[in-house]
């Protein structure tokens, strides 16, 4: 638990900084590469998205994330580390105008993370213990050292002339501090391919590049380098879903984006992402998002494009 005075001061400082640079609700990109400041004055509805690899540190409020059957709640005492592209459902569950939800998100390069993990292992006699499982979504303790590194990185928004030189150093320190936590070891295991993370990552890459094509397990196994049963099991260990389920979710998320932001009809979006049957598309869309395509997009449009939105 974070109960020392230094941590309390760091949380307060971070909260004031995020509030100052994220004056309205939403995700605010900063000049620091990969760093976003997030604010919400109210609890939100469930938001479906394909979350890219990232580190999310909440400094005020709380959020719930769902990945298939895995439910994770995080707050100022815990951070979320996403190691792979994962279809998730996110929802801010603790926020109010006088004390909004505030979060720092750092987009993570898995290549840089793997390089740093390799250097960390080379500098110590300790070996990475094989974990029972290697989920792609990990909840870790936000220690005082993690928070201090996050504070230094976010402070660069106030001194833009320092970003080019100091941002890579502070990002490296923050990721190092996260990897030194117990849950951070899972990320090390994944990104270094010490388990089956590397093969699953290749499978995810192939699916993201070919989601419009019909699902073919044979091609997926060839590209990943794993046999059918092994790929199925390790893929599910990391993503909490089968490769076929992941493939469907990629299609449906893209179709939703096309309808919402490019004004595509349901039929146009369905065919664009590879569906041959509009009725099958509608059934699977309803199953994932809880409403038929047209009604769902109308609901989202009122949320995203309301004149009352800040």
């Amino acid at each position: 638990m974070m109960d020392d005075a230094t941590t309390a001061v760091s949380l307060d400082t971070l909260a004031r900084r995020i509030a100052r640079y994220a004056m309205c609700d939403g995700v605010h990109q900063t000049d620091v590469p990969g760093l976003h400041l997030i604010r919400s004055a109210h609890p939100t509805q469930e938001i479906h998205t394909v979350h890219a690899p990232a580190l999310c540190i909440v400094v005020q409020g709380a959020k719930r994330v769902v990945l298939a059957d895995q439910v994770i709640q995080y707050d100022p005492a815990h951070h979320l580390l996403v190691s792979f592209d994962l279809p998730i459902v996110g929802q801010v569950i603790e926020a109010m105008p006088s004390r909004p939800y505030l979060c720092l998100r750092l987009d993570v390069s898995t290549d840089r993370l793997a390089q740093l993990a390799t250097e960390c292992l080379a500098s110590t006699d300790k070996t990475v213990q094989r974990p029972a499982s290697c989920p792609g979504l990990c909840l870790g303790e936000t220690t005082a050292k993690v928070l201090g590194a996050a504070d230094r990185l976010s402070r660069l928004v106030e001194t833009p002339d320092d970003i080019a030189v100091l941002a890579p150093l502070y990002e490296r320190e923050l990721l190092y501090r996260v990897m030194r936590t117990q849950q951070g070891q899972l990320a090390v295991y994944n990104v270094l391919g010490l388990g089956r993370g590397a093969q699953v990552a290749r499978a995810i890459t192939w699916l993201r590049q070919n989601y419009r094509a019909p699902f073919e397990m044979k091609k997926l196994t060839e590209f990943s380098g794993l046999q059918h049963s092994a790929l199925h099991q390790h893929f599910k260990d990391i993503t909490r879903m089968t490769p076929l389920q992941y493939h469907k979710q990629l299609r449906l998320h893209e179709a939703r984006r096309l309808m919402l932001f490019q004004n595509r009809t349901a039929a146009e979006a369905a065919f664009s992402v590879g569906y041959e049957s509009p009725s099958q598309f509608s059934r699977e869309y309803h199953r994932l998002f809880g409403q038929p395509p047209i009604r769902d997009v109308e609901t989202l449009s009122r949320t995203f494009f309301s004149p009352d939105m800040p």
Side-chain angles (χ1 to χ4, degrees), residues 49-271:
T49 187
V50 178
H51 206 303
L55 171 65
C56 303
I57 299 176
V58 171
V59 300
Q60 193 165 277
K63 187 173 184 178
R64 178 186 297 123
V65 171
V66 180
L67 173 64
D69 61 349
Q70 181 184 19
V71 181
I72 289 178
Q73 182 172 318
Y74 58 111
D75 51 30
H78 304 89
H79 59 262
L80 184 73
L81 183 61
V82 185
S83 302
F84 301 90
D85 294 314
L86 297 173
I88 67 168
V89 182
Q91 182 180 23
V92 173
I93 58 174
E94 185 182 312
M96 60 182 71
S98 61
R99 191 174 173 79
Y101 168 83
L102 299 171
C103 177
L104 177 155
R105 189 190 83 209
L106 177 65
D107 295 336
V108 174
S109 163
T110 52
D111 288 341
R112 286 203 298 274
L113 197 62
Q115 180 182 2
L116 179 57
T118 301
E119 293 174 10
C120 290
L121 289 179
S123 65
T124 179
D125 293 333
K126 295 181 179 179
T127 58
V128 179
Q129 298 298 316
R130 181 182 179 86
S133 63
C134 300
L137 207 60
C138 295
L139 185 69
E141 179 186 357
T142 302
T143 64
K145 290 181 178 180
V146 168
L147 203 60
D151 180 60
R152 283 184 283 280
L153 179 64
S154 67
R155 197 185 306 158
L156 291 175
V157 300
E158 301 169 345
T159 56
D161 289 345
D162 295 335
I163 291 175
V165 173
L166 295 181
L169 303 179
Y170 291 161
E171 176 187 348
R172 178 183 173 86
E173 180 195 6
L174 177 55
L175 296 177
Y176 170 77
R177 294 302 182 190
V178 168
M179 286 192 295
R180 297 294 291 177
T181 66
Q182 183 176 3
Q183 290 301 310
Q185 293 297 302
L186 296 179
V188 172
Y189 210 85
N190 277 333
V191 300
L192 290 183
L194 299 177
R196 295 299 186 183
Q199 289 95 330
V200 172
R202 287 199 292 270
I204 288 175
T205 297
W206 192 91
L207 287 169
R208 296 217 68 176
Q209 294 173 345
N210 298 277
Y211 67 88
R212 292 181 176 86
F215 179 80
E216 294 186 61
M217 191 67 174
K218 182 179 179 181
K219 288 186 177 180
L220 196 60
T221 57
E222 291 174 352
F223 191 83
S224 68
L226 286 173
Q227 296 298 318
H228 183 290
S229 59
L231 176 59
H232 189 278
Q233 183 60 53
H234 294 301
F235 195 98
K236 194 167 185 179
D237 286 343
I238 287 175
T239 69
R240 315 291 291 195
M241 63 188 74
T242 67
L244 179 58
Q245 290 170 332
Y246 186 95
H247 177 258
K248 286 181 179 181
Q249 289 213 21
L250 289 180
R251 283 184 165 190
L252 294 170
H253 276 90
E254 175 62 10
R256 197 187 207 200
R257 186 190 69 81
L258 292 174
M259 288 185 290
L260 183 61
F261 296 108
Q262 295 188 15
N263 296 316
R264 302 283 187 91
T265 66
E268 289 172 340
F271 289 125

Side-chain angles (χ1 to χ4, degrees), residues 259-306:
M259 288 185 290
L260 183 61
F261 296 108
Q262 295 188 15
N263 296 316
R264 302 283 187 91
T265 66
E268 289 172 340
F271 289 125
S272 179
V273 300
Y275 279 90
E276 296 181 358
S277 168
S279 60
Q280 180 187 3
F281 167 73
S282 183
R283 285 194 305 272
E284 293 184 356
Y285 190 102
H286 193 169
R287 190 177 302 122
L288 178 61
F289 297 119
Q291 295 188 101
I294 300 303
R295 190 184 308 163
D296 178 59
V297 171
E298 289 175 350
T299 300
L300 287 172
S301 295
R302 288 194 294 270
T303 300
F304 281 105
F305 306 120
S306 168

